[in-house]
Amino acid sequence: MITIHTLSGTWADKWTGYPADVARYLTEWEPVWAELQGEPERYRWNPVNYAASFGPVPPGSPQSPSYRQSVQMGVTQTVHDIKTIPGDFVLVSYSQGSEVAGRVCQELI
């Protein structure tokens, strides 16, 4: 089983944006494809839970973590998820999530 870890961009929640669209497409059609082929499902989706914030922007969010803090939260959470979810994995990211993904790759090396 391959886990798709998605990392959203700044201000996007973990369920929306390009990474979520890719994972949603693969995981929603996977059961149909697997049944037609008589094979087990190959993918599962793990939307990484991190702030994806940019500090106290937009107005009304004065307690939001800074960009740097948000990226570090994403790295910490993603590495944790990779270590605790067995099997192979891929990272799908956009914007701030891509910085997180790059730093996760450095961390895993």
Side-chain angles (χ1 to χ4, degrees):
M1 177 83 59
I2 299 170
T3 303
I4 304 165
H5 298 281
T6 56
L7 296 147
S8 58
T10 305
W11 300 315
D13 65 55
K14 64 184 181 177
W15 303 108
T16 57
Y18 300 123
D21 291 344
V22 170
R24 189 175 298 107
Y25 176 80
L26 288 170
T27 57
E28 284 181 0
W29 286 103
E30 179 67 15
V32 174
W33 177 256
E35 184 177 337
L36 289 173
Q37 298 299 313
E39 299 174 356
E41 292 182 35
R42 297 174 291 175
Y43 303 107
R44 73 176 143 227
W45 178 20
N46 176 50
V48 177
N49 189 25
Y50 83 108
S53 67
F54 201 77
V57 178
S61 55
Q63 302 301 323
S64 295
S66 70
Y67 180 87
R68 188 171 78 188
Q69 291 168 322
S70 177
V71 167
Q72 186 55 53
M73 291 166 66
V75 170
T76 301
Q77 185 63 51
T78 305
V79 169
H80 173 268
D81 291 353
I82 289 169
K83 289 181 176 181
T84 57
I85 299 173
D88 294 331
F89 67 91
V90 295
L91 300 173
V92 180
S93 62
Y94 177 75
S95 188
Q96 183 177 149
S98 294
E99 182 170 351
V100 173
R103 290 177 185 242
V104 166
C105 290
Q106 291 175 333
E107 186 88 18
L108 295 176
I109 290 174

